[in-house]
Amino acid sequence: MPSLKDLKNRIESVKSTRKITKAMQMVAAAKLRRAQESAEASRPYAERFNAVMAGLAASVGGSDSAPKLLRGTGSDDVHLLVVMTAERGLCGGFNSNISKLARAKADELRGKGKTVKILTVGKKGRDALKRDYGDLFVGHIDLSEVKRIGYANAQDIAKDILSRFDAGEFDVATIFYAKFQNVVTQIPTAQQIIPASFEETEGDDSGAVFDYEPSEEAILAELLPKGVATAIFSALLENGASEQGARMSAMDNATRNAGEMIDKLTIQFNRSRQAVITNELIEIISGAEAL
């Protein structure tokens, strides 16, 4: 049975932990608001961009004159998985859920006899996958020094991916990230970015007839690389909001658990102290009676 001093030390230790988790929760809440606004502000542009690109892609079809980023290499033997996670932990299942989705995709592709390559963005994804898939890694992008994600960061990642595609290192590229829904829910998502895949949505201009100058192929060749960067930038913003939401939720749970533990330890401390006092009284009374 722990002594009163041990119980008191444990209570003080848990109280210190609760102060830290509460502070982290407040910081995450402050960062979440800005990250959520950025993620939500980027969605209309990304959706409209995809709608326009869907119309252009539909008009070009599978012709030989279509840009390589649209038609692909004609094969899907080599897949590049771009796993985008956070640089830090203490955010619940945010990082592990993205890594789990990428792991399932890698196993599925390898089961079909495909070659898999992995490019990680964020330290936690690299740490989660390197033990089982370290031999598949082809690179890592460190964003630990970046205080606020900008489009330039997405462009750098896109340039890396596009240069690998131009060099013939892979046939299909897929990004993995978490789409922000609310503080409690972040949805792990896989999105193919090469060859470009666009879904036609209701209300777009895919049914209208336009004359393009220059040709659709020329416009696509110019916009498709920007489309890759746009998709990556949108994923980074979604990840940023998801990370802060997950961290806020995790730290709130940790704070609550610390409070419950303090209550239990306090009850145990009071009972132990009461038992000690009772024993001392019994000894005093017994000694008085003996005299």
Side-chain angles (χ1 to χ4, degrees):
M1 185 175 182
S3 64
L4 290 177
K5 183 177 180 181
D6 292 336
L7 288 172
K8 188 174 182 179
N9 289 338
R10 286 188 63 187
I11 291 173
E12 293 300 322
S13 176
V14 177
K15 284 183 177 179
S16 298
T17 301
R18 184 173 63 174
K19 289 180 181 179
I20 295 172
T21 56
K22 185 63 176 178
M24 292 183 67
Q25 178 190 352
M26 296 175 66
V27 171
K31 291 182 177 180
L32 171 62
R33 184 175 181 180
R34 184 174 61 187
Q36 183 177 354
E37 289 175 352
S38 298
E40 291 177 347
S42 70
R43 289 175 184 172
Y45 174 81
E47 291 172 358
R48 186 57 184 165
F49 182 89
N50 288 337
V52 173
M53 296 298 288
L56 285 168
S59 64
V60 172
S63 64
D64 295 336
S65 60
K68 186 178 178 182
L69 282 175
L70 180 62
R71 71 175 189 274
T73 61
S75 174
D76 65 340
D77 293 332
V78 183
H79 288 253
L80 177 67
L81 309 185
V82 184
V83 185
M84 307 169 68
T85 57
E87 295 288 347
R88 300 173 181 84
L90 297 178
C91 48
F94 167 72
N95 293 309
S96 60
N97 289 337
I98 298 174
S99 301
K100 182 179 179 180
L101 181 62
R103 187 187 300 270
K105 184 66 173 179
D107 291 341
E108 177 188 350
L109 292 172
R110 296 175 77 183
K112 294 179 180 179
K114 309 295 184 182
T115 300
V116 176
K117 298 181 178 181
I118 297 177
L119 174 68
T120 55
V121 181
K123 177 183 176 182
K124 291 303 176 178
R126 179 189 62 183
D127 294 344
L129 298 173
K130 68 180 181 181
R131 174 176 294 181
D132 297 328
Y133 303 94
D135 57 328
L136 306 180
F137 281 20
V138 295
H140 173 71
I141 297 174
D142 186 4
L143 298 178
S144 59
E145 301 299 325
V146 178
K147 300 301 181 182
R148 188 172 183 178
I149 295 295
Y151 186 70
N153 303 116
Q155 282 183 313
D156 293 338
I157 299 174
K159 287 178 182 177
D160 187 340
I161 296 173
L162 291 172
S163 64
R164 295 177 186 274
F165 181 67
D166 292 336
E169 295 185 16
F170 65 88
D171 302 314
V172 180
T174 306
I175 57 175
F176 295 84
Y177 64 98
K179 188 171 184 178
F180 179 80
Q181 185 168 346
N182 52 51
V183 175
V184 180
T185 307
Q186 302 84 35
I187 305 173
T189 304
Q191 179 182 348
Q192 180 179 309
I193 56 174
I194 299 176
S197 177
F198 305 103
E199 295 183 1
E200 296 183 3
T201 58
E202 294 183 3
D204 61 23
D205 301 324
S206 58
V209 178
F210 295 96
D211 289 330
Y212 293 97
E213 181 65 31
S215 65
E216 293 95 329
E217 292 83 354
I219 296 175
L220 281 171
E222 179 69 23
L223 291 182
L224 283 173
K226 295 181 180 179
V228 173
T230 299
I232 293 173
F233 183 48
S234 179
L236 288 174
L237 293 179
E238 293 285 347
N239 254 12
S242 297
E243 177 189 353
Q244 298 306 329
R247 179 171 289 114
M248 178 181 170
S249 180
M251 291 301 100
D252 178 58
N253 291 335
T255 302
R256 293 174 184 272
N257 292 338
E260 293 176 0
M261 184 174 291
I262 290 171
D263 293 340
K264 291 179 181 179
L265 289 173
T266 301
I267 293 173
Q268 187 178 355
F269 175 82
N270 291 335
R271 287 177 176 173
S272 298
R273 184 174 62 176
Q274 184 178 12
V276 171
I277 294 173
T278 302
N279 289 333
E280 290 178 352
L281 289 174
I282 292 174
E283 290 176 1
I284 292 173
I285 294 171
S286 299
E289 292 178 350
L291 291 174

